[in-house]
Amino acid sequence: MNLSGKQPVGQPESLSVAERSATFAAAMNLSARQIEETPRPFEEWEDGPFGHLTALSIPQPHAAGGFKFAANGHLFDSLLSVKVYCDSLAGVSGSGQEQDPIVADLVASGSLRYSGRHGESVVEPGQVCIRDTKASWQFSCAPGTRIRVVPAASWA
């Protein structure tokens, strides 16, 4: 039930935790040749937990090891908590939706660069970037980047 006490149309009065949450895993391992031959390698992400990531590209498509991505996490209602390993990736994060959360990106290795209308941030190992995902941010990450993304509200 929402805070106003009124039930949104089309939704049951209460949902079990299992109905409101999901555990997920995603993996991708592309060779340089597969990167060249696959016009939209991230198409399957458009309707999942990474749907807020758009304009995705692989800035280093000819890297000797290709491109690797692995993620596992938990989606509870609209809150996403995820551990990510990623090779060189760039795109836009944030969809401008009112319900988009404020998140904390904790970088364990590699680096993460964000730029938007409020400036630019480079997040390196051991650092945390807290950002409002309502605003769209361009991002890029270095090969071998490990990140933990958690809702910033969980830090309160």
Side-chain angles (χ1 to χ4, degrees), residues 6-28:
K6 295 180 182 176
Q7 190 60 33
V9 176
Q11 293 188 0
E13 186 160 330
S14 65
L15 296 173
S16 71
V17 170
E19 292 171 315
R20 296 182 303 180
S21 66
T23 300
F24 65 91
M28 185 178 292

PDB file of all heavy atoms in Angstrom, residues 6-28:
ATOM      1  N   LYS A   6      -4.277   5.047  -0.242  1.00  0.00           N
ATOM      2  CA  LYS A   6      -5.082   4.660  -1.398  1.00  0.00           C
ATOM      3  C   LYS A   6      -4.312   3.640  -2.214  1.00  0.00           C
ATOM      4  O   LYS A   6      -3.122   3.777  -2.430  1.00  0.00           O
ATOM      5  CB  LYS A   6      -5.390   5.884  -2.259  1.00  0.00           C
ATOM      6  CG  LYS A   6      -6.252   6.893  -1.552  1.00  0.00           C
ATOM      7  CD  LYS A   6      -6.534   8.073  -2.452  1.00  0.00           C
ATOM      8  CE  LYS A   6      -7.361   9.091  -1.711  1.00  0.00           C
ATOM      9  NZ  LYS A   6      -7.587  10.282  -2.512  1.00  0.00           N
ATOM     10  N   GLN A   7      -5.023   2.632  -2.661  1.00  0.00           N
ATOM     11  CA  GLN A   7      -4.386   1.575  -3.436  1.00  0.00           C
ATOM     12  C   GLN A   7      -4.333   1.973  -4.903  1.00  0.00           C
ATOM     13  O   GLN A   7      -5.340   2.407  -5.456  1.00  0.00           O
ATOM     14  CB  GLN A   7      -5.187   0.276  -3.271  1.00  0.00           C
ATOM     15  CG  GLN A   7      -4.500  -0.919  -3.827  1.00  0.00           C
ATOM     16  CD  GLN A   7      -3.166  -1.175  -3.174  1.00  0.00           C
ATOM     17  OE1 GLN A   7      -2.961  -0.914  -2.007  1.00  0.00           O
ATOM     18  NE2 GLN A   7      -2.243  -1.662  -3.942  1.00  0.00           N
ATOM     19  N   PRO A   8      -3.145   1.903  -5.561  1.00  0.00           N
ATOM     20  CA  PRO A   8      -3.069   2.186  -6.990  1.00  0.00           C
ATOM     21  C   PRO A   8      -3.973   1.233  -7.775  1.00  0.00           C
ATOM     22  O   PRO A   8      -4.139   0.078  -7.415  1.00  0.00           O
ATOM     23  CB  PRO A   8      -1.598   1.932  -7.334  1.00  0.00           C
ATOM     24  CG  PRO A   8      -0.882   2.010  -6.030  1.00  0.00           C
ATOM     25  CD  PRO A   8      -1.862   1.565  -4.988  1.00  0.00           C
ATOM     26  N   VAL A   9      -4.577   1.733  -8.820  1.00  0.00           N
ATOM     27  CA  VAL A   9      -5.456   0.933  -9.659  1.00  0.00           C
ATOM     28  C   VAL A   9      -4.675  -0.216 -10.275  1.00  0.00           C
ATOM     29  O   VAL A   9      -3.548  -0.056 -10.724  1.00  0.00           O
ATOM     30  CB  VAL A   9      -6.059   1.819 -10.773  1.00  0.00           C
ATOM     31  CG1 VAL A   9      -6.906   0.975 -11.724  1.00  0.00           C
ATOM     32  CG2 VAL A   9      -6.882   2.940 -10.170  1.00  0.00           C
ATOM     33  N   GLY A  10      -5.272  -1.399 -10.282  1.00  0.00           N
ATOM     34  CA  GLY A  10      -4.659  -2.541 -10.940  1.00  0.00           C
ATOM     35  C   GLY A  10      -3.642  -3.289 -10.109  1.00  0.00           C
ATOM     36  O   GLY A  10      -3.012  -4.196 -10.609  1.00  0.00           O
ATOM     37  N   GLN A  11      -3.450  -2.914  -8.852  1.00  0.00           N
ATOM     38  CA  GLN A  11      -2.495  -3.629  -8.018  1.00  0.00           C
ATOM     39  C   GLN A  11      -3.210  -4.233  -6.817  1.00  0.00           C
ATOM     40  O   GLN A  11      -4.111  -3.613  -6.251  1.00  0.00           O
ATOM     41  CB  GLN A  11      -1.392  -2.688  -7.509  1.00  0.00           C
ATOM     42  CG  GLN A  11      -0.502  -2.193  -8.613  1.00  0.00           C
ATOM     43  CD  GLN A  11       0.683  -1.425  -8.049  1.00  0.00           C
ATOM     44  OE1 GLN A  11       0.832  -1.273  -6.861  1.00  0.00           O
ATOM     45  NE2 GLN A  11       1.528  -0.952  -8.932  1.00  0.00           N
ATOM     46  N   PRO A  12      -2.836  -5.440  -6.406  1.00  0.00           N
ATOM     47  CA  PRO A  12      -3.468  -6.036  -5.228  1.00  0.00           C
ATOM     48  C   PRO A  12      -3.136  -5.222  -3.987  1.00  0.00           C
ATOM     49  O   PRO A  12      -2.160  -4.476  -3.960  1.00  0.00           O
ATOM     50  CB  PRO A  12      -2.840  -7.430  -5.158  1.00  0.00           C
ATOM     51  CG  PRO A  12      -1.625  -7.375  -5.996  1.00  0.00           C
ATOM     52  CD  PRO A  12      -1.818  -6.280  -6.991  1.00  0.00           C
ATOM     53  N   GLU A  13      -3.964  -5.357  -2.960  1.00  0.00           N
ATOM     54  CA  GLU A  13      -3.776  -4.558  -1.755  1.00  0.00           C
ATOM     55  C   GLU A  13      -2.430  -4.800  -1.089  1.00  0.00           C
ATOM     56  O   GLU A  13      -1.800  -3.883  -0.592  1.00  0.00           O
ATOM     57  CB  GLU A  13      -4.894  -4.835  -0.756  1.00  0.00           C
ATOM     58  CG  GLU A  13      -4.802  -3.919   0.433  1.00  0.00           C
ATOM     59  CD  GLU A  13      -6.101  -3.814   1.164  1.00  0.00           C
ATOM     60  OE1 GLU A  13      -7.155  -3.945   0.539  1.00  0.00           O
ATOM     61  OE2 GLU A  13      -6.038  -3.580   2.372  1.00  0.00           O
ATOM     62  N   SER A  14      -1.965  -6.019  -1.083  1.00  0.00           N
ATOM     63  CA  SER A  14      -0.642  -6.280  -0.517  1.00  0.00           C
ATOM     64  C   SER A  14       0.042  -7.365  -1.333  1.00  0.00           C
ATOM     65  O   SER A  14      -0.603  -8.261  -1.855  1.00  0.00           O
ATOM     66  CB  SER A  14      -0.745  -6.701   0.947  1.00  0.00           C
ATOM     67  OG  SER A  14      -1.402  -7.929   1.050  1.00  0.00           O
ATOM     68  N   LEU A  15       1.339  -7.252  -1.427  1.00  0.00           N
ATOM     69  CA  LEU A  15       2.146  -8.232  -2.147  1.00  0.00           C
ATOM     70  C   LEU A  15       3.113  -8.863  -1.171  1.00  0.00           C
ATOM     71  O   LEU A  15       3.625  -8.193  -0.272  1.00  0.00           O
ATOM     72  CB  LEU A  15       2.934  -7.567  -3.270  1.00  0.00           C
ATOM     73  CG  LEU A  15       2.138  -6.934  -4.402  1.00  0.00           C
ATOM     74  CD1 LEU A  15       3.071  -6.170  -5.323  1.00  0.00           C
ATOM     75  CD2 LEU A  15       1.394  -7.994  -5.181  1.00  0.00           C
ATOM     76  N   SER A  16       3.378 -10.131  -1.341  1.00  0.00           N
ATOM     77  CA  SER A  16       4.367 -10.768  -0.496  1.00  0.00           C
ATOM     78  C   SER A  16       5.750 -10.250  -0.890  1.00  0.00           C
ATOM     79  O   SER A  16       5.935  -9.712  -1.975  1.00  0.00           O
ATOM     80  CB  SER A  16       4.316 -12.287  -0.658  1.00  0.00           C
ATOM     81  OG  SER A  16       4.820 -12.647  -1.928  1.00  0.00           O
ATOM     82  N   VAL A  17       6.725 -10.428  -0.024  1.00  0.00           N
ATOM     83  CA  VAL A  17       8.090 -10.012  -0.324  1.00  0.00           C
ATOM     84  C   VAL A  17       8.577 -10.704  -1.588  1.00  0.00           C
ATOM     85  O   VAL A  17       9.213 -10.099  -2.439  1.00  0.00           O
ATOM     86  CB  VAL A  17       9.029 -10.309   0.873  1.00  0.00           C
ATOM     87  CG1 VAL A  17      10.480 -10.104   0.493  1.00  0.00           C
ATOM     88  CG2 VAL A  17       8.655  -9.436   2.054  1.00  0.00           C
ATOM     89  N   ALA A  18       8.248 -11.981  -1.754  1.00  0.00           N
ATOM     90  CA  ALA A  18       8.688 -12.725  -2.943  1.00  0.00           C
ATOM     91  C   ALA A  18       8.103 -12.128  -4.213  1.00  0.00           C
ATOM     92  O   ALA A  18       8.751 -12.129  -5.255  1.00  0.00           O
ATOM     93  CB  ALA A  18       8.303 -14.188  -2.818  1.00  0.00           C
ATOM     94  N   GLU A  19       6.885 -11.604  -4.163  1.00  0.00           N
ATOM     95  CA  GLU A  19       6.269 -11.019  -5.349  1.00  0.00           C
ATOM     96  C   GLU A  19       6.850  -9.650  -5.681  1.00  0.00           C
ATOM     97  O   GLU A  19       6.775  -9.207  -6.808  1.00  0.00           O
ATOM     98  CB  GLU A  19       4.756 -10.894  -5.161  1.00  0.00           C
ATOM     99  CG  GLU A  19       4.059 -12.235  -5.109  1.00  0.00           C
ATOM    100  CD  GLU A  19       2.607 -12.107  -4.708  1.00  0.00           C
ATOM    101  OE1 GLU A  19       2.305 -11.370  -3.749  1.00  0.00           O
ATOM    102  OE2 GLU A  19       1.781 -12.747  -5.360  1.00  0.00           O
ATOM    103  N   ARG A  20       7.413  -8.969  -4.704  1.00  0.00           N
ATOM    104  CA  ARG A  20       7.957  -7.632  -4.923  1.00  0.00           C
ATOM    105  C   ARG A  20       9.458  -7.632  -5.135  1.00  0.00           C
ATOM    106  O   ARG A  20      10.043  -6.591  -5.362  1.00  0.00           O
ATOM    107  CB  ARG A  20       7.636  -6.725  -3.731  1.00  0.00           C
ATOM    108  CG  ARG A  20       6.171  -6.479  -3.548  1.00  0.00           C
ATOM    109  CD  ARG A  20       5.939  -5.541  -2.407  1.00  0.00           C
ATOM    110  NE  ARG A  20       6.542  -6.101  -1.191  1.00  0.00           N
ATOM    111  CZ  ARG A  20       6.521  -5.523  -0.013  1.00  0.00           C
ATOM    112  NH1 ARG A  20       5.944  -4.371   0.150  1.00  0.00           N
ATOM    113  NH2 ARG A  20       7.085  -6.090   1.031  1.00  0.00           N
ATOM    114  N   SER A  21      10.105  -8.777  -5.026  1.00  0.00           N
ATOM    115  CA  SER A  21      11.552  -8.808  -5.137  1.00  0.00           C
ATOM    116  C   SER A  21      12.010  -9.888  -6.110  1.00  0.00           C
ATOM    117  O   SER A  21      11.282 -10.843  -6.375  1.00  0.00           O
ATOM    118  CB  SER A  21      12.188  -9.040  -3.764  1.00  0.00           C
ATOM    119  OG  SER A  21      11.863 -10.327  -3.296  1.00  0.00           O
ATOM    120  N   ALA A  22      13.204  -9.685  -6.613  1.00  0.00           N
ATOM    121  CA  ALA A  22      13.774 -10.656  -7.544  1.00  0.00           C
ATOM    122  C   ALA A  22      15.289 -10.633  -7.424  1.00  0.00           C
ATOM    123  O   ALA A  22      15.896  -9.575  -7.293  1.00  0.00           O
ATOM    124  CB  ALA A  22      13.366 -10.332  -8.972  1.00  0.00           C
ATOM    125  N   THR A  23      15.875 -11.809  -7.450  1.00  0.00           N
ATOM    126  CA  THR A  23      17.317 -11.942  -7.529  1.00  0.00           C
ATOM    127  C   THR A  23      17.654 -12.177  -8.992  1.00  0.00           C
ATOM    128  O   THR A  23      16.922 -12.872  -9.686  1.00  0.00           O
ATOM    129  CB  THR A  23      17.797 -13.123  -6.668  1.00  0.00           C
ATOM    130  OG1 THR A  23      17.403 -12.865  -5.318  1.00  0.00           O
ATOM    131  CG2 THR A  23      19.299 -13.288  -6.735  1.00  0.00           C
ATOM    132  N   PHE A  24      18.726 -11.575  -9.471  1.00  0.00           N
ATOM    133  CA  PHE A  24      19.056 -11.727 -10.878  1.00  0.00           C
ATOM    134  C   PHE A  24      20.558 -11.842 -11.056  1.00  0.00           C
ATOM    135  O   PHE A  24      21.340 -11.483 -10.186  1.00  0.00           O
ATOM    136  CB  PHE A  24      18.531 -10.548 -11.711  1.00  0.00           C
ATOM    137  CG  PHE A  24      19.196  -9.254 -11.363  1.00  0.00           C
ATOM    138  CD1 PHE A  24      20.335  -8.854 -12.029  1.00  0.00           C
ATOM    139  CD2 PHE A  24      18.695  -8.454 -10.363  1.00  0.00           C
ATOM    140  CE1 PHE A  24      20.973  -7.677 -11.697  1.00  0.00           C
ATOM    141  CE2 PHE A  24      19.310  -7.270 -10.028  1.00  0.00           C
ATOM    142  CZ  PHE A  24      20.456  -6.885 -10.701  1.00  0.00           C
ATOM    143  N   ALA A  25      20.941 -12.349 -12.217  1.00  0.00           N
ATOM    144  CA  ALA A  25      22.340 -12.434 -12.618  1.00  0.00           C
ATOM    145  C   ALA A  25      22.388 -12.182 -14.118  1.00  0.00           C
ATOM    146  O   ALA A  25      21.470 -12.560 -14.850  1.00  0.00           O
ATOM    147  CB  ALA A  25      22.922 -13.797 -12.278  1.00  0.00           C
ATOM    148  N   ALA A  26      23.436 -11.517 -14.552  1.00  0.00           N
ATOM    149  CA  ALA A  26      23.628 -11.257 -15.977  1.00  0.00           C
ATOM    150  C   ALA A  26      25.107 -11.432 -16.288  1.00  0.00           C
ATOM    151  O   ALA A  26      25.960 -11.093 -15.473  1.00  0.00           O
ATOM    152  CB  ALA A  26      23.194  -9.834 -16.321  1.00  0.00           C
ATOM    153  N   ALA A  27      25.382 -11.973 -17.450  1.00  0.00           N
ATOM    154  CA  ALA A  27      26.770 -12.159 -17.860  1.00  0.00           C
ATOM    155  C   ALA A  27      26.875 -11.989 -19.367  1.00  0.00           C
ATOM    156  O   ALA A  27      25.945 -12.313 -20.107  1.00  0.00           O
ATOM    157  CB  ALA A  27      27.271 -13.534 -17.452  1.00  0.00           C
ATOM    158  N   MET A  28      28.001 -11.466 -19.789  1.00  0.00           N
ATOM    159  CA  MET A  28      28.275 -11.293 -21.209  1.00  0.00           C
ATOM    160  C   MET A  28      29.770 -11.454 -21.403  1.00  0.00           C
ATOM    161  O   MET A  28      30.556 -10.912 -20.628  1.00  0.00           O
ATOM    162  CB  MET A  28      27.822  -9.903 -21.659  1.00  0.00           C
ATOM    163  CG  MET A  28      27.955  -9.659 -23.143  1.00  0.00           C
ATOM    164  SD  MET A  28      27.366  -8.024 -23.636  1.00  0.00           S
ATOM    165  CE  MET A  28      25.628  -8.168 -23.346  1.00  0.00           C
TER     166      MET A  28
END
